[in-house]
Amino acid sequence: GAGVSQSPRYKVAKRGQDVALRCDPISGHVSLFWYQQALGQGPEFLTYFQNEAQLDKSGLPSDRFFAERPEGSVSTLKIQRTQQEDSAVYLCASSAQRGATYEQYFGPGTRLTVT
Amino acid sequence: AQKVTQAQTEISVVEKEDVTLDCVYETRDTTYYLFWYKQPPSGELVFLIRRNSFDEQNEISGRYSWNFQKSTSSFNFTITASQVVDSAVYFCALVTGNTDKLIFGTGTRLQVFP
């Protein structure tokens, strides 16, 4: 079956532009997570959805970051007025179980470069 | 606060050598879960193992084995007879039972040379 897919794979944005990153989780997975991975670092939690409900957004670094999952499947991470410090790989993961205590399946990530 | 430390930034070995990747974690919770993920050059993290805090039994899966020791807060990963395909960045991660945040270490880059 299909795994987690993310698009675009690469995105170059000029400082100040808005970007939207898409995640297609594995069909039927109730949990969806977004992570930010800076170069040479481990992924850092951004936000968690259980179906369409955003249960935890404590990792979003500023109010320029917004995520949604309106129908409980596809999710979009939006970054407004991008800054250079937003340059990173954004990873999406999904899980068949509720919460983060079970195996997560990761997508290939979107590499965002802000110039 | 929860924290995962992977002190080894990079390890290089020659094929067929055994290698151990260290992971030390910190948490005050009694219920927690530990994971290892592999990140090959393609970038997609691949799940390797999950262990809960009440199960200290070591596990072996083919050439992979894991040593969980609560007394030292460690969850180390050993690859026996390493192969070039094992080259990747390996992450140890922790989540406690009452949160939804998976906390990753900074990773250990393993290079296996032929």
Side-chain angles (χ1 to χ4, degrees), chain B residues 2-18:
Chain B
Q2 289 81 30
K3 186 178 177 182
V4 175
T5 300
Q6 295 180 256
Q8 305 151 307
T9 304
E10 187 162 340
I11 300 175
S12 295
V13 298
V14 177
E15 220 173 8
K16 298 183 183 175
E17 282 186 31
D18 299 347

Side-chain angles (χ1 to χ4, degrees), chain A residues 27-101:
Chain A
S27 178
H29 277 197
V30 299
S31 294
L32 187 145
F33 304 84
W34 283 98
Y35 297 87
Q36 181 188 60
Q37 186 175 21
L39 192 62
Q41 300 296 314
E44 290 196 3
F45 171 86
L46 293 177
T47 187
Y48 164 59
F49 289 87
Q50 186 179 112
N51 297 307
E52 69 279 4
Q54 188 175 22
L55 298 187
D56 190 336
K57 56 180 181 180
S58 61
L60 295 177
S62 78
D63 59 8
R64 296 186 295 104
F65 287 71
F66 171 78
E68 60 183 4
R69 193 187 185 199
E71 296 177 359
S73 54
V74 171
S75 177
T76 303
L77 176 67
K78 297 179 180 177
I79 309 173
Q80 297 177 324
R81 303 181 304 282
T82 52
Q83 304 294 315
Q84 283 194 317
E85 62 262 29
D86 300 335
S87 295
V89 176
Y90 291 85
L91 296 167
C92 175
S94 69
S95 173
Q97 310 291 336
R98 291 182 171 84
T101 59

Side-chain angles (χ1 to χ4, degrees), chain B residues 72-85:
Chain B
T72 56
S73 297
S74 64
F75 186 43
N76 296 337
F77 172 33
T78 297
I79 302 174
T80 303
S82 59
Q83 299 176 2
V84 172
V85 293

